[in-house]
Amino acid sequence: MATLTKIRDDLFQTRMDSPFPGLTTHAYLWRRPAGNVLFYCPAGDADFEEIEELGGVSAQYLSHLDEAGPNLTRIAERFGRRLHAPAAELEPIAEHGRVDVALDAVRQVDGNDVEALPTPGHSPGSTCYLVTGMGGERYLFTGDTIFPAGDGTWSTFVVPGRGDAAAMRDSIKLLGTVEPDIVISSAFAGETAIETVDAARWSQIVDQAMASVAA
């Protein structure tokens, strides 16, 4: 039985996980000739066979510490991938698996053609990732920095005692300068974590997320 959902010819969504009531997550496999990239982290191994058939995983990117868990070790053992994660959250993530590449809080494009966008606020090391798919569309992986709220709007959440509202506002402003075609969160409320956007809709989403940050 298929567990992956094909979003684009080079983009696949893992099965849905529900870490908390009312909150759902997916991970995403971006296929590329130089090696597949996994964004976020599935909670289990139900997708491993299909991922293997699609070429496995050469690199995995976590947007922040909440995505780290026991499955990091299983993914490493199965696929031998290199784990990329924010340097600011290295210690809690490393409790669940070895981090091969610690990402400094600097906007940069790496050898996997992944652009890291430092977006602290939800957590100190929160990072978004931007890539260009085979059809020329730009996929923006926002982690939990911004996410669908389940009512047609996008929102954000500053974790009390851990996050920072001022940093979040700056991060949302940074995202407003990006021009994505598809926006993909990690956790989400409602039916989907994905939205295809044009410039006007993206501007609206950015405004919605900004409005959700407490003054």
Side-chain angles (χ1 to χ4, degrees):
M1 180 178 177
T3 60
L4 296 179
T5 300
K6 184 177 180 181
I7 306 301
R8 293 290 189 272
D9 287 343
D10 62 342
L11 184 63
F12 294 81
Q13 176 182 265
T14 65
R15 68 170 183 167
M16 185 173 66
D17 296 309
S18 297
F20 304 105
L23 181 69
T24 45
T25 66
H26 295 284
Y28 295 85
L29 184 72
W30 177 41
R31 294 187 72 194
R32 53 194 297 273
N36 296 342
V37 175
L38 181 66
F39 291 97
Y40 315 143
C41 187
D45 60 3
D47 304 298
F48 282 10
E49 291 298 327
E50 279 193 80
I51 289 174
E52 190 76 68
E53 292 173 3
L54 291 171
V57 181
S58 64
Q60 181 181 7
Y61 290 75
L62 301 185
S63 70
H64 67 299
L65 58 87
D66 292 341
E67 293 162 4
N71 213 32
L72 287 180
T73 298
R74 293 193 289 268
I75 292 170
E77 292 173 347
R78 178 66 181 266
F79 302 108
R81 58 87 179 102
R82 288 171 59 80
L83 179 62
H84 299 64
E89 299 175 1
L90 191 60
E91 184 174 346
I93 292 173
E95 292 178 2
H96 300 282
R98 187 185 73 187
V99 176
D100 300 291
V101 180
L103 300 172
D104 294 326
V106 178
R107 185 172 180 174
Q108 57 189 306
V109 180
D110 67 11
N112 295 317
D113 299 320
V114 176
E115 182 174 5
L117 304 167
T119 51
H122 177 73
S123 66
S126 286
T127 303
C128 297
Y129 300 106
L130 183 67
V131 304
T132 300
M134 65 170 57
E137 290 181 305
R138 288 158 61 86
Y139 310 152
L140 177 63
F141 299 90
T142 63
D144 288 354
T145 297
I146 65 170
F147 52 85
D151 58 358
T153 69
W154 284 64
S155 186
T156 190
F157 180 63
V158 176
V159 179
R162 185 184 77 180
D164 183 273
M168 178 64 84
R169 284 189 284 270
D170 288 341
S171 293
I172 294 173
K173 289 177 184 177
L174 172 62
L175 292 180
T177 69
V178 179
E179 298 178 348
D181 298 294
I182 302 176
V183 189
I184 307 164
S185 72
S186 176
F188 65 100
E191 298 182 355
T192 181
I194 302 173
E195 185 170 342
T196 300
V197 300
D198 57 16
R201 174 55 180 157
W202 178 234
S203 179
Q204 184 182 48
I205 286 173
V206 169
D207 289 344
Q208 290 170 350
M210 186 68 77
S212 73
V213 181

